[in-house]
Amino acid sequence: MYYNILFVVSVILAGIYAAKSEEIIRMHDNLIVSIATLVESRDNSTGGHIKRTSDVVKILVEEIMNDKSDDALVSKRFYKEKLSFEEADKIIMESMGRHFDKQLEKYYLSAREKLQAYYSKPEV
């Protein structure tokens, strides 16, 4: 019994980990492109591009640090809208065998109803 509970928890954590990893890669790529774009917009006569780049980096870091969402797929982030449980569930199910071990699918399916109830509660 405890093994099954731990296994379900590990499936959920694996899903969160995979989603957060993909999210971090996207954020990293977007951050590099954004900073590169700012640096390319030089203002050589006043040096304003250096201050502008510094200000934008500070804002980005503050936004990232203030983002306390605990689930990447079903939480709104400053750079994306939240997904419904149904949309997140579809992504998780399509990821079985790729991002998640296919053997975990039965445990996820056994916990899906409780997860749906939890994530379908109205936000406070």
Side-chain angles (χ1 to χ4, degrees), residues 18-36:
K20 285 187 183 281
S21 295
E22 288 179 17
E23 185 177 314
I24 288 168
I25 291 168
R26 277 194 310 273
M27 286 174 50
H28 180 263
D29 292 345
N30 289 337
L31 184 60
I32 289 172
V33 170
S34 297
I35 292 173

Side-chain angles (χ1 to χ4, degrees), residues 26-120:
R26 277 194 310 273
M27 286 174 50
H28 180 263
D29 292 345
N30 289 337
L31 184 60
I32 289 172
V33 170
S34 297
I35 292 173
T37 302
L38 284 170
V39 171
E40 288 297 315
S41 304
R42 293 181 184 259
D43 186 358
N44 290 330
S45 60
T46 65
H49 62 288
I50 295 170
K51 173 139 178 43
R52 188 173 52 245
T53 302
S54 174
D55 291 345
V56 169
V57 169
K58 286 177 187 174
I59 291 168
L60 287 171
V61 168
E62 185 177 315
E63 289 286 337
I64 291 169
M65 296 302 291
N66 289 332
D67 187 13
K68 303 294 185 204
S69 300
D70 61 346
D71 192 308
L73 292 174
V74 295
S75 295
K76 181 178 180 354
R77 301 293 177 97
F78 70 91
Y79 49 86
K80 73 167 198 64
E81 292 300 315
K82 71 178 190 171
L83 299 178
S84 67
F85 176 81
E86 290 74 21
E87 292 167 316
D89 179 63
K90 182 178 183 216
I91 291 170
I92 291 169
M93 291 305 296
E94 289 173 353
S95 298
M96 289 295 176
R98 290 182 314 176
H99 293 295
F100 311 117
D101 187 326
K102 188 70 172 164
Q103 295 176 350
L104 299 178
E105 185 173 357
K106 65 182 175 184
Y107 299 101
Y108 171 74
L109 290 173
S110 70
R112 183 165 52 184
E113 188 175 314
K114 289 181 182 175
L115 290 167
Q116 184 172 16
Y118 175 79
Y119 286 114
S120 297

